[in-house]
Amino acid sequence: MLFKSKKKEQKTEEKKALLYRENVRVNCEPDTQEQVIRKVGQMLVDSGYVDQPYVEAMLEREKSFSTFMGNGLALPHGVEAAKKEIKASGIAVMTFPKGTDWGGNTVNVVIGIAGVGEEHLEILSVIADKMLDESAAKRIASGDADTVYEILAGKE
C-alpha cells in the first residue's frame, strides 16, 4: 500500500510544464519554412511532448492551411489526425530578429504547439493575448531567451 501511494505522488509530479527554458531559441538565422517547422517540431519531440510522426503532421497542416497569424507570428501545429502522437501539451519557441519567410510573409516568432485534447485552444488563446500586447510582442521577438521564457511561461 505504501508503494502504491508513492507511485501516485510521483505520477502527479511528472506533469510537464507547458514551456521549458531549453525550448526557447532566440536570434535564429532565417531558414526555409519546412526546416523551421522541422526544428521547432524536433524540440517538441526532444522534450517528450510528442512522438516523431507529429513533426510530419505539422508539415501536413501547413500544406492545407497556413499557420501564419499576422503580426510576425506563426503557430505551427499538427493536423487533427496526429492528436494520438501528443503525449503532453507543450510549446517550443524560435525567434528570428531578421525575419524568416513563411509562405510569402515575414515571421519573427515561431511557436510550435502540441495540445492534448482541446488544450491547444487554451494555448493559442494565451499566446494570442501575449502577442496582442504590443510591448510583450516586441520583447518576445527581440528579447533574450530568459525574457521570452518569462513572458510566455507567465513568470512576469
Side-chain angles (χ1 to χ4, degrees):
M1 198 65 167
L2 285 175
F3 292 108
K4 284 185 180 176
S5 65
K6 190 165 185 148
K7 274 187 178 177
K8 253 186 188 173
E9 279 178 33
Q10 286 174 342
K11 205 168 189 121
T12 337
E13 290 174 23
E14 290 173 18
K15 179 153 172 57
K16 290 188 159 299
L18 187 62
L19 175 62
Y20 291 108
R21 167 63 184 73
E22 60 268 19
N23 279 351
V24 176
R25 298 200 183 140
V26 298
N27 299 320
C28 300
E29 286 299 315
D31 207 340
T32 66
Q33 185 176 353
E34 179 180 342
Q35 283 307 308
V36 172
I37 292 172
R38 287 189 184 284
K39 287 175 187 174
V40 80
Q42 192 60 48
M43 290 163 64
L44 294 171
V45 171
D46 293 345
S47 299
Y49 293 117
V50 299
D51 289 324
Q52 193 67 47
Y54 189 77
V55 179
E56 293 304 317
M58 292 171 79
L59 292 165
E60 194 61 38
R61 159 74 66 198
E62 206 62 45
K63 287 178 193 169
S64 62
F65 187 81
S66 176
T67 58
F68 175 71
M69 300 291 140
N71 203 23
L73 173 68
L75 301 174
H77 54 283
V79 293
E80 193 66 32
K83 285 281 189 192
K84 65 186 182 301
E85 305 299 342
I86 302 172
K87 299 191 275 187
S89 293
I91 63 174
V93 184
M94 295 176 74
T95 67
F96 299 85
K98 297 176 194 165
T100 193
D101 180 61
W102 204 267
N105 298 294
T106 301
V107 167
N108 300 100
V109 179
V110 174
I111 303 176
I113 299 173
V116 173
E118 296 303 310
E119 287 181 18
H120 71 283
L121 297 173
E122 187 179 325
I123 295 167
L124 290 170
S125 170
V126 168
I127 293 168
D129 284 347
K130 300 288 184 193
M131 293 302 287
L132 285 173
D133 175 341
E134 204 171 304
S135 163
K138 281 181 185 172
R139 290 174 41 230
I140 290 169
S142 61
D144 62 23
D146 290 329
T147 300
V148 174
Y149 171 76
E150 288 170 13
I151 293 169
L152 290 175
K155 306 267 187 208
E156 65 154 40

